[in-house]
Amino acid sequence: MFGLIGNIKAVPGQRDALLAILLENAGRMPGCLAYVVAEDTADAEGIWITEVWDSAASHKASLSIAAVRDAIDRAKPIIAGFGQFIETRPRGGHGLAAIAPA
Amino acid sequence: MFGLIGNIKAVPGQRDALLAILLENAGRMPGCLAYVVAEDTADAEGIWITEVWDSAASHKASLSIAAVRDAIDRAKPIIAGFGQFIETRPRGGHGLAAIAPA
C-alpha cells in the first residue's frame, strides 16, 4: 500500500471552501482505500489530508481523473501554501475501505 | 470527530515488532472510525499512526481498555521516542468505518 500525510494552508477565511473541494472526490478514486480531510486544530488555515492507496500508481492515476483535475484547478486560488508531505507505507489498520471503488 | 496524526520512533531493528503491537487493537476500540499504522518510507525506524474517532472522549476511553493497556506496556520497551503529534478535526472522507465497533 502507498500512503500520504499532507498539510495544506488555505488562504485566510477560505478553509471551509477548500475543505469542501477536497472532499468532493473522496471515495470516487479507483484504488483509494482511505482519504480523510481534517482541520488542524492549532492552525486556523491548516488542513491535513491522510491517504491510503492500494499502490502509488493508483494515486498517480487519480491526478488525471477529470473531476480531480477540475477540483485542483478550483482549489489552487484558495491555497496559500503547502506544509509537510510525508510518504508512508501503510501496514494495515481500521477504516480502510475493503474494496477500493472501481 | 477527533483525529490524531502521530509519529513514533522504534528502537532500531524493532519497527516490525512495534507495528504488530500497534495493529493488534485496530478495529476493536469503541468510537474509532479509522486507525491506520504505516511505515515512514524515509525513516527506517519511523511509524505514523493516523486516527479518527467519533469524539475525544472515545479516544481517551480507549486508553483504559485492558488489551490496549497491555499493548502499550509491551510497546514501551521498543519505543525509542515520539515525534510530532498533531490533533485534527476530521471533516469527512473515505475509509471511515460507517459504524464504530461497539
Side-chain angles (χ1 to χ4, degrees):
Chain A
M1 291 189 274
F2 172 80
L4 284 173
I5 298 171
N7 177 238
I8 301 177
K9 310 279 186 186
V11 164
Q14 295 296 320
R15 181 165 69 175
D16 279 349
L18 184 53
L19 284 163
I21 293 173
L22 293 170
L23 282 167
E24 283 174 11
N25 293 295
R28 297 196 186 116
M29 299 178 284
C32 182
L33 304 178
Y35 190 94
V36 178
V37 182
E39 298 171 7
D40 185 324
T41 56
D43 173 3
E45 274 81 58
I47 291 173
W48 288 92
I49 302 178
T50 51
E51 309 176 33
V52 178
W53 297 79
D54 57 3
S55 68
S58 289
H59 169 254
K60 190 177 178 188
S62 73
L63 302 176
S64 306
I65 298 172
V68 172
R69 290 165 62 102
D70 175 61
I72 290 171
D73 289 343
R74 282 180 289 119
K76 274 181 188 166
I78 56 174
I79 292 176
F82 294 90
Q84 288 174 277
F85 261 78
I86 301 143
E87 183 182 315
T88 69
R89 188 177 305 111
R91 291 281 299 272
H94 174 60
L96 295 171
I99 300 166
Chain B
M1 291 189 274
F2 171 80
L4 284 173
I5 298 171
N7 177 239
I8 301 176
K9 310 281 184 185
V11 164
Q14 295 296 319
R15 181 164 70 174
D16 279 349
L18 185 52
L19 284 163
I21 292 173
L22 293 170
L23 283 167
E24 282 174 12
N25 293 295
R28 296 196 187 116
M29 299 178 283
C32 180
L33 304 177
Y35 189 94
V36 178
V37 182
E39 298 171 6
D40 185 321
T41 57
D43 173 2
E45 274 82 53
I47 291 173
W48 288 92
I49 302 178
T50 51
E51 310 177 32
V52 177
W53 298 79
D54 57 3
S55 68
S58 289
H59 169 252
K60 190 177 177 189
S62 74
L63 302 176
S64 305
I65 298 171
V68 173
R69 291 165 61 99
D70 174 62
I72 290 170
D73 289 343
R74 282 180 288 118
K76 275 181 187 166
I78 56 174
I79 291 175
F82 294 91
Q84 287 174 277
F85 261 80
I86 301 143
E87 183 182 316
T88 69
R89 187 178 307 111
R91 291 281 298 273
H94 173 58
L96 295 172
I99 300 167

